[in-house]
Amino acid sequence: MCDRERGWSEVPYVKTWQLIAVSAVAGLALSVAAVAAAGPWDSGQRKAERDRAASRGLTGGADHGGDRAGGLLPQAAPSAPGVLSGIGPGAPRTTGSGVAAADAGRLAEVLRPLLADPALGSVRTASVIDTATGAVLFDSGAREPMTPASTTKIATAVAALSALGPEHRIRTTVTPGAGPGEIVLVGGGDPSLTARKKSPAGSGGSLLALAADTAQALKAAGTDSVRLGYDDTLFTGPARHPIGENPNIALVTALAADEGRPDESTSGPVDRVEDPAKETARSFAALLGERGVKVTAEPAPAKAPAGAQPLATTLSTPLAGLVERMLTNSDNDIAEVLARQTALASGQPASFEGAEKAVGARLAALGVDTAGSRFADGSGLGRADRISTGLLAGLLAKAADPQRPELRPVLTGLPVAGFTGTLRGRNAGTSPAAGLVRAKTGTLTGVNSLAGTVVDPSGRLLAFAFLTANAPDPGAAEKGLDKLAAAVARAS
């Protein structure tokens, strides 16, 4: 059903046209191989992208800590000229470097027969957009809202980044309690919070670091034993997703370590702990004990006093990294938390209902057409969601806009065909889409979807979305979607 990082401020944003330039000259497949070897998140996927992208000054290269002994400086990577120049409304659909516009007629000629494949089910819609011009190159039912499955996460990502920005970090704190000798572990909704020695999400929230800092503060105040409460009240409404208990998602709570996973897994379906907040507090109590602070009783729910100053704080992975992880691995837990964070930033209750209102409002504010859409959850696990291919492709085009660098993690987080995430085994090998297509998958029973970007043979970055319903065979439907994406990759 579901398909460490340096500080974020140190990571330069790279304009979309620069990414395309290097893609066209050096070949995306080679770059993606480096991504797969380095790792999936900020130290891997994003670092590999930084290494391969030309700098803003077109001098190329990046220094990632090479040996400078003897005064030798690292040599810059070869620079590539910009493939695309900025194109405003009404400008001719060619670039200053002479790259031709994508051929809409050719796309239609290639895509229509593939879209008619019965393996895709009884309903299929499609949209392809030239991100440089905003021109719609192919449209088939593009305004028809359909069940999008996990491609919903694209909307969640755009809304969260728009509301909070890519550098935003989520706090988990420990405050004094209401009485003497009491402390409260306060959840802020950090989906990267971990009780493990090495965080699977990079430099995210760490219970180990939080316990060490808390123990230090308590001992400095002459305290070596406490009662521990935990506060997970930031989120409201039902914590259980409407689909019910399911191994693809834990309870949606403001306090959860390792997504409530009882094993060493970091993604994919697994039965979750019954009460993630309570289990997180228990883990924290054990960590305090290991650091010389005794917790005298079983942790219990408690409310942090208003205005209480934290004894210690740990911060999540920057929002950009959370978005990338969510999209690459189709992480439902991150998706639902980010939808609630969007609600909080928008003055809405941090519930399914509040998130639905907030996400819709944030997307509408970007100027995309949200008519008929519904964002009943942030993950796409539910069937009440409604999104059109036109909206999905439009959001991806927004993320490619050089004037909106805050949305760029939506593109960098997309799985790469044949190499990463949920596309690792799709359009792989000799497929013309391998390494060129980056897309979010979506799968529910009878629902198959694919939405992402591709660099076409002319060097254009195109955004596409395909939604289908009532497919008789999910495997055959996926192959049909992959053929459509590959066709966009080679058609010009």
Side-chain angles (χ1 to χ4, degrees):
M1 290 181 67
C2 68
D3 303 292
R4 238 183 23 108
E5 138 201 277
R6 296 161 55 176
W8 179 256
S9 60
E10 297 176 25
V11 181
Y13 290 118
V14 181
K15 292 185 178 180
T16 300
W17 66 263
Q18 291 173 311
L19 174 59
I20 301 168
V22 180
S23 301
V25 175
L28 271 175
L30 180 60
S31 299
V32 175
V35 173
W41 320 133
D42 297 320
S43 63
Q45 183 160 318
R46 183 163 290 281
K47 180 178 182 296
E49 287 210 347
R50 289 202 308 270
D51 285 346
R52 77 166 185 256
S55 72
R56 285 187 180 274
L58 296 181
T59 56
D63 174 20
H64 295 288
D67 185 8
R68 299 192 182 190
L72 295 177
L73 295 175
Q75 293 185 350
S79 298
V83 173
L84 300 179
S85 59
I87 299 178
R93 289 175 57 233
T94 58
T95 71
S97 59
V99 176
D103 187 335
R106 172 60 178 159
L107 266 178
E109 178 183 327
V110 172
L111 294 182
R112 288 197 186 282
L114 295 174
L115 200 61
D117 184 352
L120 294 175
S122 60
V123 185
R124 327 84 187 258
T125 64
S127 179
V128 181
I129 296 176
D130 185 331
T131 66
T133 66
V136 176
L137 303 177
F138 183 77
D139 176 331
S140 179
R143 293 188 178 184
E144 180 179 350
M146 296 178 61
T147 301
S150 277
T151 54
T152 297
K153 294 181 176 73
I154 292 172
T156 302
V158 171
L161 289 166
S162 177
L164 295 161
E167 297 180 25
H168 179 76
R169 292 177 182 254
I170 303 164
R171 295 173 177 267
T172 304
T173 63
V174 176
T175 71
E182 296 179 355
I183 60 173
V184 181
L185 175 63
V186 184
D190 173 11
S192 70
L193 186 65
T194 182
R196 300 172 184 173
K197 290 183 179 181
K198 183 177 180 180
S199 170
S203 60
S206 169
L207 279 184
L208 279 76
L210 187 63
D213 291 345
T214 300
Q216 183 179 27
L218 290 171
K219 290 178 180 179
T223 301
D224 59 7
S225 66
V226 293
R227 293 187 302 279
L228 175 63
Y230 58 93
D231 185 349
D232 64 346
T233 60
L234 182 64
F235 293 172
T236 59
R240 180 77 67 189
H241 192 283
I243 64 172
E245 186 173 351
N246 190 285
N248 288 295
I249 190 168
L251 290 177
V252 185
T253 173
L255 181 62
D258 301 302
E259 300 182 340
R261 296 174 179 272
D263 57 12
E264 294 301 309
S265 66
T266 59
S267 64
V270 65
D271 290 335
R272 312 305 175 89
V273 299
E274 183 177 345
D275 188 339
K278 186 173 184 177
E279 291 302 321
T280 300
R282 285 174 170 170
S283 295
F284 187 68
L287 291 169
L288 285 176
E290 292 172 4
R291 286 152 182 79
V293 175
K294 180 180 180 181
V295 177
T296 58
E298 176 78 357
K303 182 70 175 175
Q309 294 300 305
L311 296 171
T313 299
T314 187
L315 301 178
S316 73
T317 302
L319 186 64
L322 294 176
V323 163
E324 289 183 327
R325 183 181 179 192
M326 172 185 71
L327 294 172
T328 300
N329 269 9
S330 198
D331 193 303
N332 300 304
D333 300 280
I334 294 178
E336 297 301 346
V337 167
L338 293 191
R340 280 162 173 71
Q341 294 293 342
T342 303
L344 290 169
S346 305
Q348 295 286 346
S351 63
F352 282 104
E353 293 78 8
E356 178 177 356
K357 293 177 182 178
V359 169
R362 289 288 175 176
L363 300 185
L366 291 173
V368 293
D369 182 6
T370 60
S373 298
R374 185 181 178 192
F375 309 97
D377 66 11
S379 62
L381 282 174
R383 293 179 179 273
D385 296 312
R386 291 292 183 272
I387 300 179
S388 67
T389 54
L391 175 55
L392 286 171
L395 292 174
L396 291 165
K398 289 289 183 183
D401 186 346
Q403 301 304 312
R404 296 188 181 276
E406 73 279 4
L407 300 182
R408 181 168 153 68
V410 176
L411 302 187
T412 58
L414 293 172
V416 182
F419 289 92
T420 63
T422 56
L423 283 187
R424 181 183 296 273
R426 295 174 58 175
N427 265 323
T430 59
S431 167
L436 293 178
V437 165
R438 309 188 69 145
K440 181 70 198 75
T441 57
T443 307
L444 295 170
T445 302
V447 175
N448 297 89
S449 56
L450 191 67
T453 63
V454 63
V455 179
D456 77 354
S458 69
R460 288 276 174 166
L461 182 69
L462 308 183
F464 65 86
F466 304 109
L467 297 177
T468 72
N470 307 318
D473 179 350
E478 286 185 357
K479 290 180 180 178
L481 290 171
D482 291 344
K483 289 179 182 178
L484 286 163
V488 177
R490 64 175 179 261
S492 176

